[in-house]
Short mmCIF file of all heavy atoms in Angstrom, two decimals:
data_model
loop_
_atom_site.label_atom_id
_atom_site.label_comp_id
_atom_site.label_asym_id
_atom_site.label_seq_id
_atom_site.Cartn_x
_atom_site.Cartn_y
_atom_site.Cartn_z
N ASP A 259 -4.71 24.66 -56.59
CA ASP A 259 -3.59 23.88 -57.10
C ASP A 259 -3.14 24.33 -58.48
O ASP A 259 -3.94 24.41 -59.42
CB ASP A 259 -3.99 22.40 -57.16
CG ASP A 259 -2.81 21.48 -57.34
OD1 ASP A 259 -1.65 21.97 -57.22
OD2 ASP A 259 -3.02 20.29 -57.60
N LEU A 260 -1.85 24.61 -58.59
CA LEU A 260 -1.23 24.92 -59.88
C LEU A 260 -0.33 23.78 -60.34
O LEU A 260 0.25 23.86 -61.43
CB LEU A 260 -0.40 26.20 -59.78
CG LEU A 260 -1.16 27.48 -59.46
CD1 LEU A 260 -0.19 28.65 -59.27
CD2 LEU A 260 -2.17 27.81 -60.55
N GLU A 261 -0.25 22.71 -59.54
CA GLU A 261 0.71 21.64 -59.85
C GLU A 261 0.05 20.44 -60.53
O GLU A 261 -0.44 20.55 -61.66
CB GLU A 261 1.45 21.21 -58.59
CG GLU A 261 2.73 20.44 -58.90
CD GLU A 261 2.97 19.24 -57.99
OE1 GLU A 261 2.09 18.89 -57.19
OE2 GLU A 261 4.03 18.63 -58.11
N ASP A 262 -0.03 19.30 -59.85
CA ASP A 262 -0.43 18.05 -60.49
C ASP A 262 -1.84 18.07 -61.08
O ASP A 262 -2.12 17.33 -62.02
CB ASP A 262 -0.31 16.89 -59.50
CG ASP A 262 1.13 16.41 -59.34
OD1 ASP A 262 1.99 16.91 -60.09
OD2 ASP A 262 1.38 15.56 -58.47
N ALA A 263 -2.73 18.87 -60.51
CA ALA A 263 -4.10 18.91 -61.01
C ALA A 263 -4.26 19.77 -62.25
O ALA A 263 -5.37 19.90 -62.77
CB ALA A 263 -5.05 19.42 -59.92
N VAL A 264 -3.16 20.35 -62.73
CA VAL A 264 -3.21 21.25 -63.89
C VAL A 264 -2.22 20.75 -64.95
O VAL A 264 -1.03 20.63 -64.68
CB VAL A 264 -2.86 22.70 -63.50
CG1 VAL A 264 -2.93 23.61 -64.72
CG2 VAL A 264 -3.78 23.20 -62.40
N ALA A 265 -2.72 20.47 -66.14
CA ALA A 265 -1.86 20.03 -67.24
C ALA A 265 -0.95 21.17 -67.70
O ALA A 265 -1.29 22.35 -67.56
CB ALA A 265 -2.71 19.55 -68.40
N GLY A 266 0.20 20.80 -68.28
CA GLY A 266 1.17 21.79 -68.72
C GLY A 266 0.60 22.91 -69.57
O GLY A 266 0.85 24.10 -69.29
N PRO A 267 -0.17 22.60 -70.63
CA PRO A 267 -0.70 23.66 -71.47
C PRO A 267 -1.67 24.60 -70.76
O PRO A 267 -1.95 25.70 -71.26
CB PRO A 267 -1.42 22.89 -72.59
CG PRO A 267 -0.77 21.55 -72.61
CD PRO A 267 -0.43 21.26 -71.19
N ALA A 268 -2.17 24.18 -69.59
CA ALA A 268 -3.16 25.00 -68.87
C ALA A 268 -2.55 25.76 -67.70
O ALA A 268 -3.27 26.43 -66.95
CB ALA A 268 -4.30 24.12 -68.37
N LYS A 269 -1.23 25.68 -67.51
CA LYS A 269 -0.60 26.29 -66.35
C LYS A 269 -0.80 27.81 -66.31
O LYS A 269 -1.17 28.37 -65.27
CB LYS A 269 0.90 25.99 -66.33
CG LYS A 269 1.27 24.53 -66.20
CD LYS A 269 1.09 24.00 -64.79
CE LYS A 269 1.68 22.60 -64.64
NZ LYS A 269 1.41 22.00 -63.34
N ALA A 270 -0.56 28.49 -67.41
CA ALA A 270 -0.67 29.94 -67.42
C ALA A 270 -2.10 30.39 -67.15
O ALA A 270 -2.34 31.33 -66.37
CB ALA A 270 -0.19 30.50 -68.76
N GLU A 271 -3.05 29.72 -67.76
CA GLU A 271 -4.46 30.06 -67.54
C GLU A 271 -4.86 29.79 -66.10
O GLU A 271 -5.63 30.56 -65.50
CB GLU A 271 -5.35 29.27 -68.48
CG GLU A 271 -6.83 29.61 -68.35
CD GLU A 271 -7.70 28.81 -69.30
OE1 GLU A 271 -7.16 28.00 -70.08
OE2 GLU A 271 -8.94 28.99 -69.25
N ALA A 272 -4.35 28.71 -65.52
CA ALA A 272 -4.67 28.38 -64.13
C ALA A 272 -4.16 29.47 -63.19
O ALA A 272 -4.84 29.82 -62.22
CB ALA A 272 -4.07 27.03 -63.76
N ARG A 273 -2.99 30.00 -63.46
CA ARG A 273 -2.48 31.10 -62.65
C ARG A 273 -3.45 32.27 -62.66
O ARG A 273 -3.77 32.86 -61.61
CB ARG A 273 -1.14 31.60 -63.20
CG ARG A 273 0.08 30.93 -62.65
CD ARG A 273 1.30 31.68 -63.18
NE ARG A 273 2.45 30.81 -63.24
CZ ARG A 273 3.52 31.04 -64.01
NH1 ARG A 273 3.55 32.12 -64.79
NH2 ARG A 273 4.54 30.22 -63.99
N GLU A 274 -3.92 32.63 -63.83
CA GLU A 274 -4.86 33.75 -63.94
C GLU A 274 -6.16 33.43 -63.22
O GLU A 274 -6.76 34.31 -62.58
CB GLU A 274 -5.12 34.08 -65.41
CG GLU A 274 -3.91 34.61 -66.16
CD GLU A 274 -3.37 35.90 -65.54
OE1 GLU A 274 -4.19 36.75 -65.13
OE2 GLU A 274 -2.14 36.06 -65.45
N ASN A 275 -6.62 32.19 -63.30
CA ASN A 275 -7.82 31.79 -62.59
C ASN A 275 -7.66 31.96 -61.08
O ASN A 275 -8.56 32.45 -60.38
CB ASN A 275 -8.16 30.33 -62.87
CG ASN A 275 -8.63 30.08 -64.29
OD1 ASN A 275 -9.03 31.01 -64.99
ND2 ASN A 275 -8.56 28.83 -64.72
N VAL A 276 -6.51 31.54 -60.57
CA VAL A 276 -6.26 31.63 -59.13
C VAL A 276 -6.17 33.09 -58.69
O VAL A 276 -6.74 33.48 -57.66
CB VAL A 276 -4.97 30.86 -58.77
CG1 VAL A 276 -4.51 31.17 -57.35
CG2 VAL A 276 -5.19 29.35 -58.94
#
Side-chain angles (χ1 to χ4, degrees):
D259 194 11
L260 297 175
E261 198 221 8
D262 281 354
V264 181
K269 297 284 189 186
E271 182 180 359
R273 270 188 207 159
E274 294 300 320
N275 291 341
V276 168

